Amino acid sequence: MFKACGMLLFIAVTAGAYAQTPAFTRQDTLRGSITEERAWWDLAYYHLDVNVNPGDSTIRGTNTIQYKVLEPGRLMQVDLQPPMRIDKVVQNGKELAFRRDGNAYFIQISEDQKKGQVNKLDVFFGGKPVVSENPPWSGGLTWKKDAQGNPFVANSNQGDGASLWWPCKDHMYDEPDSMLISVTVPKHLMDVSNGKLRGVEERNDSTKTFHWFVSNPINNYGVNISIGDFAHFSETYQGEKGELELDYYVLKENLDKAKAQFKDAPRMLQAFEHWFGPYPFYEDGFKLIEVPYLGMEHQSAVTYGNGYQNGYRGRDLSGTGWGLKFDFIIIHESGHEWFANNITYKDIADMWIHESFTNYSEGLFVDYHYGKEAGNAYVIGTRQGIKNDKPIIGQYEVNYRGSGDMYPKGGNMLHTLRQVVNNDEKWRGILRGLNRDFYHQTVTTQQIESYLSKHTGRDLSAFFDQYLRDTRIPKLEYQFAGNKLRYRWGNSVAGFHMPVKVSVNGKEKWLEPTTNWQELKGYKGKNALQVDPNFYVEAADVSLVP
């Protein structure tokens, strides 16, 4: 279906990776834009049926694509990246012709496609998918072994594309309404994928097939296979929409560690259902699955590899101590169930919608469990990771995301907006409203900006231009002259205006600066001004400037 209009923290990404915009190619456009060969059909359903062979690191299988015809068309784009290959395509018992252009296959439909029809075709594929060199930051499959020598396999492919390992409509604007994932593995292993387990099929060739059904729309990069010799345990969470099944799959040697560490899962749900509204996928349950890399926000099947320790690999990214009160991967990746899997960007240029809100969710988790001052301190502490190297918004229609500042700077932008709203229940209502009003939708930055402007009651266009499209930190310039306090916003985009809470001579006061000088009377003698540190701004007494 068309949904209406995590990756993880970029710890491993250097500033140099963002230094220059690359030269874009035809392949970037085929991957990142809604081409004519994509636009005429709407995804309805996938049945991905794959046989995974850890012995030679190959995958083979079929993907049944069911689609609704929006406008008559005969040429369909389906994406699959080499060295994987499409072997044949069949519709209504007839083999279809196709041609390959890089990572895109163009399938020639032989029958008339009438508007409103729901049709399907079967794509047969196979090969040895790309091995991720640095999961989850580089896409592909990870093939490892556990301590007993059993295969330990998982995928991670945000950005680089789900088409690294299975053929699909590899653009975020369109999602299937539901999906069946059937994964065949060696008999002594288990596959854990998204949604609910419908059954396990024993075969006569020393393999078995796990059938997982996803009853909600799902984005391509959220589709997950996790294969290993797992132990399983579960619990039931009493949430806002009733009982929610929580299932945990971990390597057997880590079972005791997991039973202790995964207590953060219900704590996460308590906090995030409070702030964001009901978990968006009750019908599909919630899973944490151990994998041989750090972790990923696969929908209803969050993957985990943080070593059963608090913080981010044992480190507090805020430097305040509060980041060691929780397991970063459990909290951050699960936050993406609301912002990434429920509300999904249409174009990766708008990846901040996933990462800024989810970075901010870490502070809200701390706020819920340890108090507002603790949550504030955590968010402010993450500013040490901001580079202000390039804009947070990326480039559209070429599959190109913006700066890694979408994490800590984006989170601090939202924390600043909370201060502007100056009413925590109203702010909470806005966050919950986003997840209600954009429930299971793909969205643009413009939609999120407009929603926040409408529901805060303020025109935030210049605010978002400043924080998303500019690299400068707005600076409150002020001076005490005579008996006056003069102030304005400097270092800012044209028309920037934002209220700010300050302390003048120890007394709290709200100012409404614009980019033009304003003044207040009644300040004589020696005066001092401090900006509330919850605002991500700078301040400068320009009367001291020669």
Side-chain angles (χ1 to χ4, degrees):
M1 64 172 274
F2 288 123
K3 295 172 87 181
C5 295
M7 202 151 64
L8 291 155
L9 192 68
F10 282 22
I11 295 297
V13 178
T14 64
Y18 287 110
Q20 294 182 341
T21 301
F24 297 111
T25 68
R26 170 174 166 77
Q27 285 300 308
D28 295 318
T29 300
L30 287 177
R31 172 79 169 85
S33 65
I34 304 173
T35 61
E36 290 183 11
E37 295 80 11
R38 284 171 168 160
W40 65 268
W41 56 286
D42 177 22
L43 274 172
Y45 172 79
Y46 282 133
H47 178 197
L48 177 61
D49 187 355
V50 297
N51 188 312
V52 181
N53 186 349
D56 61 6
S57 303
T58 60
I59 292 177
R60 59 178 175 82
T62 61
N63 187 24
T64 299
I65 302 174
Q66 188 178 88
Y67 60 94
K68 182 177 181 179
V69 179
L70 301 177
E71 296 293 341
R74 285 288 188 92
L75 199 60
M76 173 183 286
Q77 179 180 340
V78 172
D79 306 289
L80 185 64
Q81 299 180 39
M84 298 296 287
R85 66 187 182 279
I86 290 177
D87 298 318
K88 66 177 178 178
V89 182
V90 176
Q91 186 169 52
N92 296 328
K94 298 177 182 178
E95 198 165 327
L96 303 181
F98 59 83
R99 62 179 175 85
R100 179 185 153 206
D101 184 348
N103 299 331
Y105 286 75
F106 293 94
I107 300 166
Q108 186 67 55
I109 308 294
S110 60
E111 299 179 5
D112 287 340
Q113 302 291 292
K114 296 179 180 179
K115 186 174 181 177
Q117 280 184 334
V118 176
N119 298 325
K120 68 177 182 178
L121 51 76
D122 298 312
V123 181
F124 294 77
F125 70 101
K128 198 168 186 176
V130 169
V131 175
S132 176
E133 295 180 355
N134 186 25
W137 296 281
S138 67
L141 271 286
T142 299
W143 309 85
K144 298 288 186 182
K145 291 183 182 288
D146 65 18
Q148 279 67 48
N150 296 301
F152 191 25
V153 181
N155 69 290
S156 55
N157 45 248
Q158 186 183 12
D160 292 328
S163 58
L164 280 167
W165 65 279
W166 63 285
C168 57
K169 190 179 195 178
D170 205 358
H171 192 290
M172 296 291 287
Y173 86 103
D174 193 9
E175 298 180 356
D177 298 311
S178 59
M179 183 171 184
L180 179 61
I181 305 168
S182 300
V183 184
T184 300
V185 297
K187 189 161 289 188
H188 66 291
L189 301 176
M190 180 185 298
D191 169 72
V192 186
S193 292
N194 316 79
K196 292 284 186 73
L197 184 63
R198 277 192 165 176
V200 181
E201 187 178 353
E202 298 285 345
R203 300 197 176 272
N204 296 323
D205 59 355
S206 73
T207 65
K208 56 186 175 183
T209 303
F210 292 80
H211 298 283
W212 296 88
F213 183 72
V214 182
S215 60
N216 288 291
I218 183 169
N219 62 56
N220 290 326
Y221 84 81
V223 174
N224 175 56
I225 55 173
S226 297
I227 298 164
D229 184 22
F230 293 127
H232 169 234
F233 65 104
S234 63
E235 60 183 316
T236 301
Y237 178 77
Q238 296 294 331
E240 286 196 18
K241 289 177 69 175
E243 292 188 351
L244 174 63
E245 293 180 29
L246 310 184
D247 288 283
Y248 310 116
Y249 296 86
V250 301
L251 295 181
K252 291 176 179 177
E253 62 263 29
N254 293 326
L255 180 59
D256 290 340
K257 291 179 184 178
K259 286 183 175 179
Q261 195 72 8
F262 287 5
K263 290 178 181 178
D264 264 358
R267 294 210 310 148
M268 172 276 298
L269 287 161
Q270 290 170 354
F272 291 167
E273 287 207 327
H274 170 82
W275 284 109
F276 302 144
Y279 172 71
F281 307 105
Y282 268 72
E283 304 85 355
D284 292 326
F286 173 84
K287 294 185 287 297
L288 282 176
I289 311 159
E290 185 173 358
V291 291
Y293 63 85
L294 188 57
M296 194 71 201
E297 68 256 28
H298 298 126
Q299 184 174 308
S300 75
V302 171
T303 54
Y304 175 86
N306 200 37
Y308 300 98
Q309 58 189 328
N310 282 355
Y312 177 96
R313 290 174 166 162
R315 294 191 292 120
D316 176 8
L317 297 179
S318 76
T320 64
W322 293 112
L324 296 178
K325 297 290 187 181
F326 62 93
D327 190 310
F328 177 93
I329 293 301
I330 295 175
I331 304 311
H332 179 91
E333 299 311 326
S334 299
H336 279 305
E337 296 282 37
W338 285 263
F339 294 97
N341 298 335
N342 185 38
I343 303 174
T344 308
Y345 58 67
K346 278 190 170 180
D347 191 300
I348 200 171
D350 291 335
M351 189 172 168
W352 77 272
I353 297 168
H354 294 197
E355 300 303 349
S356 297
F357 280 96
T358 304
N359 175 279
Y360 181 54
S361 78
E362 301 158 23
L364 293 180
F365 174 87
V366 175
D367 182 310
Y368 181 87
H369 286 288
Y370 302 103
K372 186 173 181 178
E373 291 306 312
N376 291 348
Y378 179 87
V379 176
I380 293 168
T382 63
R383 291 176 190 170
Q384 62 187 310
I386 298 175
K387 295 184 175 69
N388 283 311
D389 55 350
K390 62 183 268 190
I392 287 174
I393 299 285
Q395 296 209 27
Y396 292 97
E397 298 189 341
V398 287
N399 196 47
Y400 189 77
R401 55 181 171 249
S403 170
D405 276 353
M406 69 180 79
Y407 293 83
K409 183 178 179 180
N412 272 277
M413 173 189 72
L414 294 170
H415 186 63
T416 298
L417 188 53
R418 177 185 183 178
Q419 314 314 310
V420 171
V421 171
N422 197 32
N423 180 325
D424 283 349
E425 278 308 299
K426 180 178 180 179
W427 180 237
R428 176 175 168 240
I430 290 170
L431 296 174
R432 291 173 66 95
L434 281 166
N435 279 280
R436 179 189 64 244
D437 295 347
F438 295 113
Y439 183 72
H440 291 178
Q441 294 182 29
T442 59
V443 300
T444 64
T445 284
Q446 286 68 34
Q447 287 177 281
I448 300 300
E449 289 185 18
S450 296
Y451 188 94
L452 291 172
S453 286
K454 177 181 178 180
H455 290 275
T456 59
R458 287 184 172 270
D459 179 1
L460 296 173
S461 54
F463 175 89
F464 287 115
D465 283 345
Q466 182 75 47
Y467 285 103
L468 294 178
R469 300 177 181 89
D470 201 274
T471 59
R472 294 172 293 173
I473 306 171
K475 182 179 293 184
L476 181 66
E477 298 177 343
Y478 67 92
Q479 57 182 220
F480 293 97
N483 70 339
K484 299 175 182 177
L485 166 63
R486 303 181 72 237
Y487 57 90
R488 72 175 181 185
W489 286 118
N491 209 38
S492 57
V493 299
F496 181 72
H497 59 95
M498 181 179 74
V500 62
K501 186 163 66 173
V502 300
S503 173
V504 183
N505 302 328
K507 294 183 178 179
E508 184 179 290
K509 187 175 187 63
W510 280 89
L511 303 177
E512 288 269 359
T514 67
T515 53
N516 299 316
W517 284 106
Q518 300 178 63
E519 58 184 41
L520 293 171
K521 295 181 179 180
Y523 294 94
K524 294 182 179 180
K526 189 175 181 180
N527 297 285
L529 181 149
Q530 290 183 319
V531 174
D532 185 330
N534 289 294
F535 289 79
Y536 181 53
V537 299
E538 295 178 335
D541 183 350
V542 296
S543 63
L544 301 177
V545 177

